[in-house]
Amino acid sequence: MIGNSESLDELISTAKQVSETILKYSNVRVVSHNDTDGITSAAIICHALLRQNICYHATIVSRLDESVIEDVNNTISEGDLVIFCDMGSGQPDLISNVSEDTVVIDHHNPEGESTAKAVLNPHFSEINGATHLSASGSTYMVAREMNSSNVDLSGLAVTGAIGDKQVFESANEFILDESVKNSVISVKKGLKIGEGDIAQLLENVPEPYLDISGDREKIDEFLGSLNVHGNINDLSSDDFKKLASAITLKIIKNASTEAVESVIGDVYTLNKEPFQDIYEFIRILNACGKVKKGGLGLTLCLRDTSVIDEAREISLEYNRNIVYQIKKAESLIQRGSNIRYLNAESMDSIGIVAGVIIRYMYPDMPFIATNEVEDVVKVSARATHHLVENGVDLNYAMREAAKLTGGSGGGHNIAAGAAIEKGQIENFINIVDDIIGKQLNPDTESSNEG
């Protein structure tokens, strides 16, 4: 569903109500997710609170569970407000265990009845939270109602949306237009791979993922054949077109349509943040979150430039490792009746790995990645817009399969996750395969009995 003007008006009205609720409190506890969208969400609300002289305490977490609620309850006082960003819509039972008032600003599919004092979720305004409004965008809509001067935070909202692979239609388009109009973001045509030395970018950046990614010898051979070298910003118009065409030809061999569109087109430059290159900023924020340095990412989003060098080092090491993990994952991919999947152990950032695999290698089937970490199995599931249009709903598949295997799951129709008990991987995969088969072929029985 794509939000129309009525949907946007309703979203703005809800954002105003949520902002009015927040402004009644003098102390706020902020809890947000550890990916780019979650970190930018936290930053937007923290900026807005600070500008209203409202004290805040922010925490970045990998998932919402009982331990997070316990920590929150131990660090709040009577009369405080707790704001959950990029989480909470699917766990109303956990939110209800918070001892003080709560606000949920999220874009995941809502489940059950919320006990929160106020909720903003685009799905309630008939706007698709999976594609047309991120958590950071949702939080920005609240912040702009708290104070009109918060328009400068729109760049963070756009950063979060790109980090979540969203499209700039509906509410996202509204935010982008507002950002450009107020010179928060500049737009030009180009390659969405970041700035710097071309060879180093192709070697160390997970996206776009090419058949030469991570292999310096093949990269040098590729660039040598084009006679294109140096910093991407210093290329002549002809050399830039040559490079863009060559990369496009490599991508379209196997990649999904959205993968091609996500690499070439409108390039956004941030005019208010520590990094002008939005793609480098996204990689850095995601890296900080995933290596449990979410506070460092939040510090960057709060425009503290003193940590830039540290953040860049973390990002370089993290993204190099991601490229290595993707190459390692290629040999583990298996095919079911209706899905592709891999089972890994202690693999970093399986969500990113799963996303790269389905976008650049095998876009024809949903991709499921399981990862055994200590006493739990974490699952990441990814689809394409085309698969979703044909009936795939990973939020449902993860939620239902997890219930049957001693765990919990959910998310979006196009991207979801789960945590299940060890020893249940095969059963889980079979159940998901069966569910996806029925989603794609509702009038026939799936070949799996899983």
Side-chain angles (χ1 to χ4, degrees):
M1 54 189 169
I2 300 176
N4 53 29
S5 60
E6 291 181 1
S7 297
L8 188 58
D9 288 343
E10 183 180 342
L11 181 75
I12 292 172
S13 176
T14 302
K16 184 174 180 59
Q17 293 170 21
V18 174
S19 72
E20 290 171 349
T21 298
I22 293 171
L23 290 172
K24 294 175 182 177
Y25 296 82
S26 57
N27 291 283
V28 174
R29 186 78 164 83
V30 177
V31 182
S32 195
H33 191 221
N34 70 338
D35 65 359
T36 297
D37 190 31
I39 294 172
T40 50
S41 298
I44 289 167
I45 200 64
C46 289
H47 272 295
L49 291 169
L50 189 62
R51 292 169 182 180
Q52 298 300 131
N53 295 315
I54 298 173
C55 297
Y56 69 83
H57 171 192
T59 304
I60 306 298
V61 299
S62 61
R63 60 175 177 168
L64 181 58
D65 57 21
E66 291 85 354
S67 66
V68 172
I69 301 302
E70 182 179 357
D71 178 63
V72 166
N73 284 333
N74 288 335
T75 53
I76 55 176
S77 302
E78 184 177 351
D80 288 357
L81 175 69
V82 182
I83 300 177
F84 291 93
C85 296
D86 200 20
M87 55 178 57
S89 292
Q91 304 110 319
D93 53 331
L94 288 175
I95 300 298
S96 68
N97 290 330
V98 177
S99 59
E100 298 298 319
D101 291 343
T102 57
V103 163
V104 174
I105 307 174
D106 193 14
H107 68 135
H108 295 91
N109 284 320
E111 303 288 340
E113 292 292 324
S114 178
T115 58
K117 196 84 171 177
V119 176
L120 187 139
N121 188 307
H123 290 280
F124 292 137
S125 300
E126 297 189 352
I127 295 172
N128 191 335
T131 53
H132 293 96
L133 190 64
S134 62
S136 54
S138 300
T139 309
Y140 170 71
M141 297 303 289
V142 173
R144 69 191 290 277
E145 295 299 323
M146 291 173 69
N147 193 314
S148 60
S149 67
N150 289 332
V151 67
D152 69 308
L153 304 177
S154 55
L156 291 171
V158 173
T159 301
I162 295 176
D164 256 21
K165 311 297 181 188
Q166 296 211 339
V167 296
F168 285 92
E169 299 172 357
S170 184
N172 278 338
E173 183 179 21
F174 171 83
I175 294 172
L176 178 61
D177 287 348
E178 193 161 81
S179 183
V180 173
K181 179 182 177 182
N182 288 278
S183 301
V184 178
I185 280 181
S186 301
V187 184
K188 64 179 181 180
K189 296 292 183 182
L191 280 170
K192 306 177 188 181
I193 63 175
E195 299 176 351
D197 182 78
I198 305 164
Q200 289 181 10
L201 285 170
L202 294 179
E203 183 178 10
N204 301 315
V205 172
E207 295 193 59
Y209 190 80
L210 311 176
D211 56 2
I212 58 174
S213 292
D215 189 325
R216 189 55 182 260
E217 186 176 334
K218 289 183 178 179
I219 291 168
D220 288 342
E221 183 181 336
F222 169 68
L223 295 176
S225 69
L226 300 174
N227 195 25
V228 173
H229 304 281
N231 191 299
I232 194 167
N233 289 336
D234 297 333
L235 295 182
S236 67
S237 177
D238 287 345
D239 280 350
F240 183 84
K241 289 177 182 177
K242 197 188 304 181
L243 176 65
S245 296
I247 288 176
T248 302
L249 287 172
K250 279 189 170 294
I251 293 173
I252 60 177
K253 289 178 182 178
N254 299 308
S256 62
T257 302
E258 55 244 45
V260 178
E261 293 173 349
S262 70
V263 173
I264 297 171
D266 288 337
V267 174
Y268 306 123
T269 299
L270 297 166
N271 298 323
K272 304 291 185 181
E273 309 307 328
F275 296 90
Q276 285 197 312
D277 177 4
I278 197 169
Y279 309 100
E280 180 186 14
F281 197 27
I282 289 167
R283 288 193 293 269
I284 285 175
L285 293 179
N286 195 65
C288 287
K290 298 307 181 185
V291 301
K292 300 182 179 179
K293 295 276 189 177
L296 182 64
L298 181 57
T299 299
L300 285 170
C301 291
L302 294 174
R303 299 170 180 166
D304 184 340
T305 58
S306 67
V307 295
I308 285 179
D309 290 343
E310 180 185 357
R312 276 190 164 134
E313 287 180 15
I314 289 172
S315 178
L316 179 60
E317 182 179 349
Y318 175 81
N319 284 292
R320 275 178 176 167
N321 185 53
I322 291 296
V323 174
Y324 169 77
Q325 297 286 355
I326 295 167
K327 288 192 170 297
K328 179 180 175 182
E330 288 186 64
S331 63
L332 301 175
I333 297 172
Q334 302 180 64
R335 175 172 174 159
S337 298
N338 308 288
I339 62 172
R340 283 190 175 83
Y341 63 96
L342 70 82
N343 301 321
E345 293 184 11
S346 300
M347 179 176 284
D348 295 332
S349 297
I350 57 168
I352 295 176
V353 172
V356 168
I357 288 172
I358 194 165
R359 279 194 295 277
Y360 294 94
M361 300 179 202
Y362 300 108
D364 58 326
M365 289 182 172
F367 190 81
I368 317 297
T370 70
N371 187 37
E372 290 192 46
V373 183
E374 297 176 355
D375 59 344
V376 69
V377 176
K378 295 183 179 180
V379 186
S380 285
R382 298 292 184 268
T384 63
H385 294 295
H386 176 73
L387 289 168
V388 169
E389 288 168 1
N390 281 287
V392 168
D393 183 351
L394 294 178
N395 170 55
Y396 177 84
M398 290 293 100
R399 189 176 71 244
E400 295 304 308
K403 282 180 184 177
L404 296 172
T405 51
S408 61
H412 302 295
N413 52 14
I414 197 168
I420 62 174
E421 294 179 354
K422 293 189 73 171
Q424 289 286 346
I425 293 177
E426 184 177 356
N427 190 23
F428 179 87
I429 290 294
N430 286 336
I431 293 170
V432 172
D433 200 351
D434 186 55
I435 291 172
I436 297 299
K438 290 173 180 175
Q439 289 177 347
L440 291 170
N441 303 286
D443 298 325
T444 60
E445 288 297 318
S446 175
S447 60
N448 256 341
E449 296 300 324

